[in-house]
Amino acid sequence: MTADPKLSLRGIRKSFGDTTVLDGIDLDVAEGDVITLIGASGSGKSTLLRCINLLEPVAEGQVILDGVDIAEPGLDPDPIRRRIGMVFQSFNLFPHMSVIDNVAVGPHKVLGAPKSRARADGLAMLTRLGLADRADAYPDQLSGGQQQRVAIARSLAMNPEVMLLDEITSALDPELVGEVLDVVRGLKEDGMTMLFATHEMTFAREISDRVCFLHQGRILEEGPPAQIFESPNEPRTQAFLQRVIDAGRM
Amino acid sequence: MTEQHAGHQPTRREVYDRARRRRSITIATISTVVVIGALLVLIPLTPGWEKVQQAFFDGDVFVDTLPILVEAFWVDVKILVWSTPPILIVALLVALARNTRSPALFPLRAFAVVYTDVLRGIPVILLVYLIGFGVPALGLSRTWANPLIWGSVTLVLSYSAYVAEVIRAGIDSVHESQRAGARSLGMTNHQTMQTVILPQAFRRIVPPMMNSFVSLQKDVALVSLIGPVEILRQAGIEKAKYANFTPYVAASLIFLAMTIPCTRLADWALARQRAKTGATAIS
């Protein structure tokens, strides 16, 4: 790696009360990298993503975006969040807005784009994700897969430099997972830098540049997907993957 | 039997449902007829009915007093119309003040708590007396000693405290994930509140707000205690003039003519909203 990483995590720690959720996370993400975070529920994947987006303050450590520590206490988080997109497990679409308004509200309100422009760009984004015909529908009128694609479109409309995907297929019926993962494949082709917490092991293996196995708030093992999935060094990684295989998920 | 193949053969479930539906409609109809019939037969049999009928349901008095009562009712409507916007504004400000987090704004938060606690804790009727007689006694000029002003101020103080709590509950009812979604787009706290939280909160609190609004429509009559001749006071005057309670019945009907359409309108608006955003057109 010659260029400086796009995003670096240095010694991230975080606890809720007495429970330590993140126990010293170090990670370098180069521009265009797709990093998947795997691990059991409660291993800290979601919290780590929320910390990167500053939705949760870190207790200790640095989140370095383009050489600047954005976790520095006292820094205004709002301008930084604009540069980092986040997609949530439960979509978090705004139910009182139509699909196009969900996508246009960020550029219009936050980036100050004129409404007509924001809507035109939003429509282009929806077209790209195959949702143009649903632009005037409301989120509750869509299938889960469509809702999640709208959520991705909403995030992409802000032109983020990094995308954080937090178990974005976990709330979907199995037959709807594919359409969302197709969008993620498209993003990789476009060179988007992504951190992706997921339980979809087959997909993680296909799309990742590197896979991190999280266990009790630490990255126990990190490497290219072939290594992690075929010959993991850590017994706990092996045990986790075995459980996934036993559950028929890989 | 063989010929019915082409037509729609009702399933056993449909036959059963239809029979059930017919049965419930029959029961509802019979019980309604019995109850209303009993009331119509039994009430006139009570020993005092004759007198009550004369004192409360005198057709001539009703016809004579209705126009003047409707006119007096305009005072109530005016008080209602000019009190409602300040109630909503003050209530929203108090609710937002209670939702602030910054330590520098502690006095504001504390004020909002005291405001809602005190003004909700005092009966409206007492507040009307205290403010309606107390404030003008400070020696205000004639224009400012108008009981209409202080009556309205009382309603604004009392009702904004109630409505503030309703709004606060509405804000709290919007799930935290909505805030996360908005903040992840880089929205500021203020933008999040304005574009994501409040619009959803307001939709949810329409029914309780309408409840407060109907309550307010009735409590406007309390302003009569400090002077203005609105419908309640006018009904009292007419009652004394005719020595008959029918004006009170007329006044009640006039109130109902306003409150019932208001509630129905709110129900309709809410149902329409739900139909628009709800799961109706899955494709």
Side-chain angles (χ1 to χ4, degrees):
Chain A
M1 236 188 266
T2 47
D4 280 340
K6 178 77 189 164
L7 179 74
S8 293
L9 309 179
R10 293 276 171 271
I12 302 286
R13 270 172 224 284
K14 169 88 191 166
S15 34
F16 294 114
D18 290 338
T19 322
T20 304
V21 189
L22 299 176
D23 192 13
I25 300 271
D26 295 293
L27 183 66
D28 284 323
V29 185
E31 181 119 38
D33 263 2
V34 176
I35 312 278
T36 40
L37 309 173
I38 62 169
S41 299
S43 57
K45 306 184 295 289
S46 286
T47 309
L48 181 61
L49 295 183
R50 293 173 69 90
C51 282
I52 296 172
N53 201 17
L54 309 178
L55 286 174
E56 301 280 355
V58 301
E60 231 180 280
Q62 297 173 303
V63 179
I64 300 164
L65 181 67
D66 281 338
V68 177
D69 179 12
I70 59 173
E72 179 74 26
L75 217 63
D76 180 7
D78 298 328
I80 298 157
R81 289 207 193 94
R82 287 167 209 169
R83 302 168 53 195
I84 304 175
M86 179 140 184
V87 184
F88 301 86
Q89 180 177 350
S90 51
F91 326 141
N92 300 12
L93 290 174
F94 307 133
H96 61 297
M97 295 182 195
S98 64
V99 164
I100 183 68
D101 285 337
N102 264 279
V103 177
V105 69
H108 175 53
K109 291 273 173 188
V110 178
L111 302 180
K115 194 157 193 181
S116 55
R117 172 82 188 281
R119 287 176 73 99
D121 289 354
L123 199 60
M125 184 63 72
L126 288 173
T127 308
R128 195 175 129 197
L129 301 194
L131 288 160
D133 57 326
R134 307 301 284 154
D136 294 317
Y138 283 82
D140 286 346
Q141 298 167 332
L142 305 182
S143 72
Q146 290 173 328
Q147 289 190 53
Q148 194 59 294
R149 284 188 285 149
V150 173
I152 295 173
R154 177 178 74 173
S155 213
L156 289 176
M158 295 293 290
N159 261 322
E161 299 164 32
V162 178
M163 285 283 276
L164 309 174
L165 311 177
D166 186 7
E167 302 201 21
I168 59 170
T169 57
S170 300
L172 298 178
D173 290 337
E175 80 272 20
L176 302 177
V177 168
E179 62 186 80
V180 172
L181 295 184
D182 280 342
V183 174
V184 179
R185 276 189 197 101
L187 291 180
K188 182 181 165 79
E189 279 167 26
D190 295 344
M192 178 64 78
T193 312
M194 287 187 276
L195 266 91
F196 187 19
T198 187
H199 289 293
E200 300 288 338
M201 299 303 161
T202 314
F203 185 70
R205 186 169 179 166
E206 168 202 327
I207 198 164
S208 310
D209 294 305
R210 270 179 304 144
V211 178
C212 299
F213 173 67
L214 267 76
H215 182 76
Q216 293 177 352
R218 288 180 204 194
I219 297 179
L220 268 196
E221 193 165 1
E222 179 187 346
Q227 182 213 315
I228 299 288
F229 289 111
E230 275 155 37
S231 49
N233 297 321
E234 269 285 331
R236 277 167 295 193
T237 316
Q238 290 165 12
F240 171 75
L241 291 172
Q242 191 56 52
R243 282 201 304 277
V244 174
I245 290 167
D246 291 347
R249 297 295 294 270
M250 193 162 81
Chain B
M1 275 305 220
T2 46
E3 283 173 0
Q4 286 185 356
H5 257 288
H8 175 67
Q9 177 89 16
T11 63
R12 280 180 56 224
R13 164 62 60 189
E14 282 168 344
V15 172
Y16 172 78
D17 282 349
R18 222 171 282 165
R20 258 185 77 108
R21 216 162 27 235
R22 233 182 344 250
R23 200 165 152 252
S24 355
I25 292 172
T26 314
I27 292 175
T29 312
I30 292 174
S31 70
T32 311
V33 168
V34 166
V35 169
I36 292 179
L39 286 175
L40 286 177
V41 171
L42 291 179
I43 291 179
L45 289 180
T46 52
W49 170 243
E50 197 96 324
K51 274 188 209 154
V52 168
Q53 197 183 12
Q54 281 166 12
F56 286 88
F57 302 102
D58 186 316
D60 292 338
V61 175
F62 185 85
V63 172
D64 285 351
T65 55
L66 193 63
I68 198 165
L69 288 176
V70 168
E71 207 184 314
F73 189 58
W74 274 116
V75 179
D76 297 75
V77 173
K78 274 191 268 177
I79 297 175
L80 180 71
V81 166
W82 71 53
S83 298
T84 302
I87 286 172
L88 291 176
I89 293 166
V90 174
L92 179 60
L93 292 178
V94 171
L96 290 175
R98 282 194 79 156
N99 256 284
T100 54
R101 308 246 163 91
S102 145
L105 295 178
F106 174 77
L108 192 66
R109 229 170 5 254
F111 172 78
V113 172
V114 173
Y115 184 91
T116 46
D117 283 0
V118 170
L119 291 168
R120 277 194 313 158
I122 304 174
V124 185
I125 192 165
L126 278 178
L127 268 185
V128 169
Y129 277 126
L130 290 175
I131 295 176
F133 291 136
V135 177
L138 294 172
L140 300 176
S141 69
R142 221 162 216 294
T143 33
W144 283 100
N146 188 337
L148 275 184
I149 295 178
W150 298 108
S152 309
V153 167
T154 308
L155 291 175
V156 170
L157 289 175
S158 185
Y159 271 84
S160 60
Y162 277 100
V163 174
E165 286 300 280
V166 174
I167 295 177
R168 196 165 70 101
I171 291 172
D172 287 349
S173 80
V174 178
H175 196 264
E176 192 57 34
S177 63
Q178 286 291 308
R179 197 181 292 271
R183 298 311 294 269
S184 78
L185 291 177
M187 283 191 199
T188 62
N189 225 334
H190 176 76
Q191 288 169 328
T192 303
M193 194 47 108
Q194 196 191 6
T195 52
V196 175
I197 309 291
L198 282 181
Q200 294 184 59
F202 275 123
R203 242 149 257 187
R204 279 176 212 191
I205 61 180
V206 166
M209 287 276 248
M210 272 325 280
N211 198 24
S212 299
F213 187 60
V214 169
S215 223
L216 172 66
Q217 290 171 0
K218 296 177 298 169
D219 279 352
V220 164
L222 292 176
V223 173
S224 70
L225 293 172
I226 52 172
V229 180
E230 48 66 72
I231 189 167
L232 179 62
R233 186 161 267 243
Q234 189 67 53
I237 294 169
E238 300 302 316
K239 178 212 76 179
K241 200 157 89 192
Y242 289 88
N244 191 290
F245 289 108
T246 305
Y248 284 141
V249 174
S252 304
L253 291 176
I254 293 172
F255 272 109
L256 286 180
M258 177 168 70
T259 52
I260 292 180
C262 275
T263 11
R264 287 292 86 80
L265 183 73
D267 286 351
W268 173 81
L270 208 64
R272 209 182 68 135
Q273 183 65 42
R274 240 178 238 142
K276 194 171 143 208
T277 59
T280 46
I282 291 167
S283 62

